Structure formats: C-alpha cells, structure tokens
Amino acid sequence: MSDDIAVVRNPRARRTRLSFDPVSGQARLTLPPRASLAKALAWARAQSAWIAQQRERLPGARPFVHGATLPVDGQLLTIDWRADAPRTPSVDAGWLVLGGPVESVPRRIELWLRRRALTLLEQDTAFYAARAGVTVSGVTIGDPRGRWGSCAHHGAIRYSWRLVLAPPEVRRATAAHEVAHRVHMNHAPAFHALVADLYGCDPSAERAWLRANGAALHWFGRSPG
C-alpha cells in the first residue's frame, strides 16, 4: 500500500494498470514484475482527478441503525429499535422491529439478513435443481467481494448473503445460473441456454441490474467515514 493506492505486482501483467474498486473504495495499481514502482506511482498520482471522480461516485454507506431502510426480498423495511422489543428482529407491517442492546443492533440485523438469505436461496436452489433434474449437495452463504455465487464440482453451491437485498428476480436468476453449472461447468452457449430455460426467460436484465447496482449492496451495514 502506498498512501491511498494499493500496489500489486502481477506476474501475468504486461502493462501498468490503474483501477478502482467500488466495493472497497480503493484505487489499485497493478504492475508487471519488473516495472519501476517509483515511475508507476508517479503516473498513478498524476491521475488524482480520475481517482477523485471515482470516489465521488461511490455508493453511500448504509449502516444498520434505527430508521434506516432495507430492501429485503422485494419489501422495503425500516429498522425500528424499541427498548421493550425482543432482541431478535421481526417483520411487522413494513418495520423490522428489534430491541436489546442498541450497540449490537448492526450485528443482529446482519445475522437476521444472513439467515433470511440462506432460507430463500435454499428454496430457490431446490426449485431450479428440481427443474434441471440435478442434485445439490449443500447451500451455504458468505460475503465474497467479487462473486454472487459459485458452484463446486462436488455439487455444493455458495452465494453472497447480500442477494437478499437485491430484487427477488435477481436473486432467483443467480440461483438458476449456479444450478445450471451442475450440468455445464463453463459459460458456453449451452450453459446460457439452460440458465434461460430454468429461469423461464433470458436473465440479461437481471445480470445488468447486478452490474449496475451490485457494488451498492456491499455498502449496506457500513458506517460512514
């Protein structure tokens, strides 16, 4: 790391490249193995206006606090902390109600979202697996930065829990995509045809939504600053 630019040497890189990660808010300088670090950094710092422009476009932090709104499975919920409410969050007419220590509200909201995501994605996966006539050995969730889902050769599928914050059709299209990998472990035309068949239509719009809005999902639960 140099100042606010992460420096990475990549043995396969053929040229110096400056990129910006909207998930982390970090500028990244990738260098070939023998490139001059001093020259590369000088060039990268000369791009300060571009880096500042990218930072201005970053999604705003969306902390899990009283009064914050969350899109959960297509429903907009407002966090409502009440001193006399149960510790475990529950949905009540558009409110996500919980009590308990106020300092642990963010952690308990995230745990609730993770559980909800796992339940929904298990259901989605089972639905598409039945359509495809395949088995899935297990469904788990995590919080990867770069992937919304992954399918292992042994049949286990892992998703990002943040899909629960996406529109339901986006989450389902992702599940159809991963289940299709139980038949085709590639992205050949036959794979994409199967995804569309399982999902019921071409999921291009859902993929476009994730490309345009996916980074913002990673800013839920973050505190400003």
Side-chain angles (χ1 to χ4, degrees):
M1 182 83 69
S2 179
D3 298 332
D4 56 351
I5 300 175
V7 177
V8 178
R9 286 196 182 272
N10 187 333
R12 293 180 294 179
R14 295 186 176 182
R15 62 183 178 85
T16 299
R17 179 173 178 266
L18 182 65
S19 59
F20 191 84
D21 182 1
V23 173
S24 66
Q26 178 73 61
R28 179 186 179 101
L29 181 64
T30 303
L31 287 76
R34 298 182 181 181
S36 166
L37 176 59
K39 290 182 179 179
L41 278 174
W43 170 77
R45 289 177 181 135
Q47 316 305 314
S48 58
W50 178 82
I51 294 174
Q53 185 181 56
Q54 301 309 305
R55 289 208 171 98
E56 289 175 1
R57 294 176 178 174
L58 285 174
R62 302 285 295 272
F64 296 147
V65 295
H66 176 77
T69 56
L70 305 173
V72 180
D73 190 26
Q75 181 181 10
L76 192 63
L77 301 178
T78 301
I79 298 174
D80 183 15
W81 179 82
R82 305 174 189 173
D84 59 346
R87 292 170 60 96
T88 302
S90 62
V91 177
D92 181 12
W95 297 93
L96 187 58
V97 181
L98 76 163
V102 69
E103 63 272 15
S104 65
V105 164
R107 179 180 59 82
R108 287 183 285 123
I109 292 290
E110 181 174 328
L111 288 173
W112 181 84
L113 287 169
R114 284 174 175 266
R115 288 193 293 267
R116 183 66 180 142
L118 182 58
T119 297
L120 290 169
L121 287 162
E122 284 177 333
Q123 293 171 354
D124 296 336
T125 302
F127 176 79
Y128 292 119
R131 273 194 171 185
V134 298
T135 59
V136 173
S137 61
V139 175
T140 58
I141 56 168
D143 194 13
R145 287 175 49 183
R147 306 180 75 175
W148 298 105
S150 60
C151 179
H153 284 277
H154 53 71
I157 295 179
R158 186 171 180 82
Y159 298 100
S160 167
W161 70 263
R162 295 180 185 274
L163 285 168
V164 75
L165 301 169
E169 59 272 19
V170 172
R171 188 194 71 240
R172 294 183 189 118
T174 304
H177 180 107
E178 297 308 327
V179 168
H181 277 311
R182 293 291 294 123
V183 179
H184 303 286
M185 288 298 286
N186 54 51
H187 289 96
F191 165 80
H192 290 293
L194 178 58
V195 174
D197 184 55
L198 294 177
Y199 182 56
C201 64
D202 181 356
S204 295
E206 288 75 12
R207 290 198 299 268
W209 189 97
L210 271 180
R211 287 193 298 271
N213 302 282
L217 300 185
H218 288 275
W219 288 76
F220 278 93
R222 292 191 189 183
S223 298

